[in-house]
Amino acid sequence: MSESVARLRPFLVLLAMLGLAGGFALRMAGHGAAAPYVWAAATAPVLAVLVVEIITSLRRGDVGLDIVAALSMSGALVLGETLAGAVVALMYAGGQYLEFYAEGRARREMRALLSRVPRSALRYDGEGRIAEVPLADIHPGERLLIRQGDVLPVDGRVVDEPAMVDQSAITGESVPVRLLPGREALSGTTNIGAAFDLLVLRPAAESTYAGIVRLVEEAQKAKAPMARLADRYAIAFLAVTVLLAGAAWLVSGDPVRALAVLVVATPCPLILAVPVALVAGLSQAARHGVLIKGGGALEALSQARTAVLDKTGTLTFGRARLVDVRVFAGANGDDDVDADEALRLAASLDQASAHVVAEALIEAAGERGLALSAPHEVSETAGRGLAGRVEGRPVAVGSLSYVGEYLDGAVPPIEGMDGSTAAVAVAVDGRLAAVLLLADLLRPDAAGLLARLEQEGVSRLVLASGDRSDIVAEIAAGLPLAEARGDLSPQDKLGIVRQERRRATGAVMMIGDGINDAPALAEADVGIAVGARGASASAEAANVVLLVEGLAPVADALVIARRSRRIALQSVYVGIGLSGLGMLAAAAGFLAPVQGALLQEVIDVAAIMNALRALAPAPGMSAPGTAKGS
């Protein structure tokens, strides 16, 4: 459907409506002989636009029931049944406009993303002055000023002062979020508090928001395989319609009876209800923080019976998080550093480092509300640690061997550690103050996701991870998994997905987040990427992308997909069944063309309205922006 034809739809509806009403007005005024000409004049423009659409579709190889509508209107004009032609024209144009309106409403959440794209940003120069520059000129490491009401143009880290942001456009989270210094802020969120400074982490083209926009554009251009299936049904229904109309004409000798059959079949709910229900499902999923790349992915998701899941970044957070602080008492009594102070000093020093462990400590300090100080005289040894001064005190943070070089005495033994835990030592004033234990933790909603997947009919759950087998076994303990495997390469994960596809009775979905998951995501019937950070390989390869933190939306998307497909098929079967009965009645002479047209359009409108039910939340689902079961 071209954009120019789409823009004509409301005018065609108005023209058909005015023509139909004008003909009746002439009859009531005693000028009945002129009424057929007015009805014919109202039918002709709708028929002309429809013929253009049919020719365009046939050139693409698409055959649909629009041909039935064209035959019925043409036959009405030829046979002098201009009132029937006007009714068909009005109802067809109205039904097409209703579909157009429904699709527009269903895509509202997606289009809202595109309207928020910032074009420029306020950047500090080397002398502290601020200048407005295009987004293409923004680079990592630069400092931006984010004013109240501004949409963040790039991903960055909050510096100096806390920020209050509205993340609802990106994550669906309705409650404003307070980000402490050191926390990452996503592009596309809105600053609803005081102005703050943002340290750029990624170029605009690789930001979270840019990635989402690209994925939205892909989703809007996609055509659903289910819609193509509807087209194949349309060919069969078109053949049955023409044969039944011809038989009615042949048996009765009355061409008007054949016309009645044609108008009853115009334009079957098959080509209206399917796209409306699927696009409505895409919109409902977007509201829950899930971007599904088109109706084909929605249909495949609705038939999922097996799930292959990655561990790191999917069932777990995918990054080190502080799990414990072991404080070491010295000989100075009151001078000893407590857990919070050890973390605060370590995080303050780590502000000078870009290491992932440094990010974890800064985040942990922010979660505890600890005020960080500026580090001085910092020296870093790549991969080992760094040392410097915080508030005038000598501080060293890093591996046990690295920090041991800054101690007055030997490093004491650390008890209770396992293979999944990393230790970061903190020395203050030449003494070991604490050891910070970090681990990649199981997400709190991971078990809830697996339970909901089983509840929704996913009968086989397989954990496939590149992490060590012993760590995978530890994570898998207590989870309802049919199989858990570790030490896998990307090729191994791809092989597991292929193996599961061979054995599965339904579709296989793969849930992952990393670059090493991309081949498996692309191979699966449905690839689901957890997170859409920039142009990551996983997000590009996947059919479905989670735009929110947490796993609950995966199950929500499954519920939405199955409900949308069910509603689409309900509309199709009921609509075709009623249309078939109406066609038989018309062939038997019980319905005149005008009556048949009115009856069919009532069926069409009912089918579309039923399909719009897919816009409503499914019973028992979590509200948008929340994590049910977390």
Side-chain angles (χ1 to χ4, degrees):
M1 174 63 60
S2 68
E3 194 66 29
S4 58
V5 172
R7 283 196 291 265
L8 284 175
R9 281 178 168 176
F11 298 103
L12 292 176
V13 173
L14 180 61
L15 181 61
M17 187 181 300
L18 291 176
L20 192 61
F24 281 118
L26 287 173
R27 272 193 173 185
M28 295 176 63
H31 303 288
Y37 297 101
V38 175
W39 289 329
T43 305
V46 178
L47 177 59
V49 171
L50 178 56
V51 170
V52 172
E53 290 184 275
I54 291 173
I55 293 173
T56 303
S57 298
L58 289 176
R59 286 175 176 172
R60 295 195 307 262
D62 295 336
V63 180
L65 290 180
D66 288 350
I67 295 175
V68 178
L71 288 175
S72 62
M73 280 186 269
S74 301
L77 294 179
V78 170
L79 297 175
E81 295 285 344
T82 54
L83 176 57
V87 171
V88 171
L90 175 61
M91 293 304 179
Y92 178 77
Q96 292 293 296
Y97 178 71
L98 179 58
E99 178 191 355
F100 176 70
Y101 171 78
E103 290 179 354
R105 177 186 170 191
R107 288 192 172 109
R108 181 174 53 200
E109 290 83 6
M110 297 184 187
R111 290 200 308 267
L113 285 173
L114 300 176
S115 66
R116 294 168 48 86
V117 179
R119 304 292 184 222
S120 60
L122 298 176
R123 182 181 66 186
Y124 289 95
D125 62 17
E127 300 178 2
R129 293 174 299 193
I130 299 174
E132 185 171 359
V133 297
L135 286 192
D137 294 341
I138 301 298
H139 303 287
E142 294 180 333
R143 192 168 178 138
L144 306 180
L145 173 64
I146 308 298
R147 299 167 301 187
Q148 185 175 27
D150 283 353
V151 174
L152 274 65
V154 294
D155 297 339
R157 180 178 292 160
V158 178
V159 293
D160 295 339
E161 299 293 335
M164 184 67 69
V165 297
D166 176 7
Q167 299 184 147
S168 58
I170 302 299
T171 67
E173 186 174 2
S174 59
V175 179
V177 177
R178 185 170 185 263
L179 300 178
L180 294 172
R183 295 291 299 275
E184 182 174 344
L186 299 180
S187 56
T189 60
T190 303
N191 178 22
I192 60 174
F196 66 92
D197 289 351
L198 186 76
L199 185 67
V200 179
L201 293 179
R202 285 175 282 275
E206 299 177 11
S207 69
T208 299
Y209 196 69
I212 292 171
V213 170
R214 282 193 298 274
L215 296 174
V216 168
E217 291 171 339
E218 291 175 16
Q220 290 178 327
K221 293 176 182 176
K223 181 178 180 182
M226 193 172 182
R228 292 193 293 270
L229 180 63
D231 290 342
R232 292 197 294 272
Y233 282 145
I235 295 173
F237 194 83
L238 172 60
V240 171
T241 300
V242 172
L243 288 174
L244 185 58
W249 188 353
L250 182 64
V251 171
S252 66
D254 184 4
V256 174
R257 191 172 291 190
L259 176 62
V261 173
L262 290 176
V263 297
V264 171
T266 308
C268 177
L270 187 64
I271 59 174
L272 297 176
V274 170
V276 169
L278 294 184
V279 174
L282 298 180
S283 172
Q284 184 62 217
R287 292 185 59 203
H288 284 262
V290 182
L291 181 61
I292 301 177
K293 298 181 183 179
L298 186 79
E299 184 185 3
L301 180 60
S302 72
Q303 301 176 67
R305 294 292 181 270
T306 300
V308 179
L309 304 99
D310 173 50
K311 180 190 76 70
T312 305
T314 304
L315 290 184
T316 67
F317 287 100
R319 61 186 186 274
R321 296 174 66 91
L322 184 67
V323 295
D324 193 15
V325 179
R326 303 277 182 85
V327 177
F328 288 84
N332 296 337
D334 294 339
D335 292 335
D336 290 339
V337 176
D338 62 18
D340 280 352
E341 182 65 4
L343 175 59
R344 188 185 74 84
L345 293 172
S348 295
L349 182 64
D350 270 340
Q351 290 178 107
S353 174
H355 196 275
V356 291
V357 171
E359 291 182 3
L361 297 186
I362 292 171
E363 181 178 357
E367 291 173 350
R368 298 191 184 194
L370 304 178
L372 304 186
S373 299
H376 300 281
E377 303 175 20
V378 179
S379 63
E380 182 171 7
T381 302
R384 297 193 65 207
L386 67 166
R389 289 187 173 273
V390 177
E391 299 171 355
R393 305 178 72 179
V395 179
V397 180
S399 65
L400 294 174
S401 60
Y402 175 81
V403 171
E405 300 173 5
Y406 292 85
L407 299 180
D408 295 334
V411 179
I414 311 299
E415 299 178 354
M417 290 182 56
D418 55 44
S420 62
T421 305
V424 177
V426 182
V428 179
D429 298 329
R431 291 181 290 112
L432 183 64
V435 171
L436 312 178
L437 301 183
L438 299 96
D440 184 12
L441 300 176
L442 187 71
R443 291 179 185 266
D445 55 351
L449 167 67
L450 300 183
R452 288 190 66 195
L453 290 179
E454 285 190 319
Q455 181 182 342
E456 295 300 328
V458 179
S459 56
R460 181 171 170 82
L461 301 170
V462 177
L463 180 59
S465 174
D467 209 344
R468 298 203 320 263
S469 295
D470 58 332
I471 297 177
V472 172
E474 182 181 338
I475 288 292
L479 296 178
L481 298 168
E483 189 176 353
R485 296 178 60 182
D487 293 312
L488 299 177
S489 67
Q491 185 65 33
D492 294 332
K493 290 186 178 183
L494 181 66
I496 287 178
V497 170
R498 288 174 175 170
Q499 177 183 334
E500 294 299 328
R501 289 187 68 188
R502 287 193 294 268
R503 68 183 297 174
T505 55
V508 174
M509 60 180 175
M510 167 70 190
I511 308 174
D513 77 311
I515 293 177
N516 63 334
D517 298 321
L521 289 169
E523 175 68 23
D525 297 305
V526 187
I528 302 179
V530 180
R533 298 293 179 87
S536 67
S538 58
E540 295 292 339
N543 309 102
V544 180
V545 181
L546 265 62
L547 308 179
V548 297
E549 184 68 25
L551 297 174
V554 173
D556 288 341
L558 184 61
V559 173
I560 290 169
R562 289 185 173 166
R563 181 169 180 264
S564 298
R565 184 172 185 270
R566 185 169 61 249
I567 289 173
L569 291 177
Q570 286 173 357
S571 299
V572 167
Y573 295 150
V574 173
I576 288 181
L578 294 176
S579 295
L581 293 175
M583 290 163 61
L584 292 173
F590 294 112
L591 289 176
V594 173
Q595 295 169 328
L598 292 173
L599 174 63
Q600 180 56 55
E601 299 312 326
V602 168
I603 295 172
D604 291 340
V605 170
I608 293 173
M609 297 306 292
N610 181 67
L612 283 172
R613 291 192 299 117
L615 281 171
M621 279 183 53
S622 57
T626 65
K628 182 177 179 179
S630 62

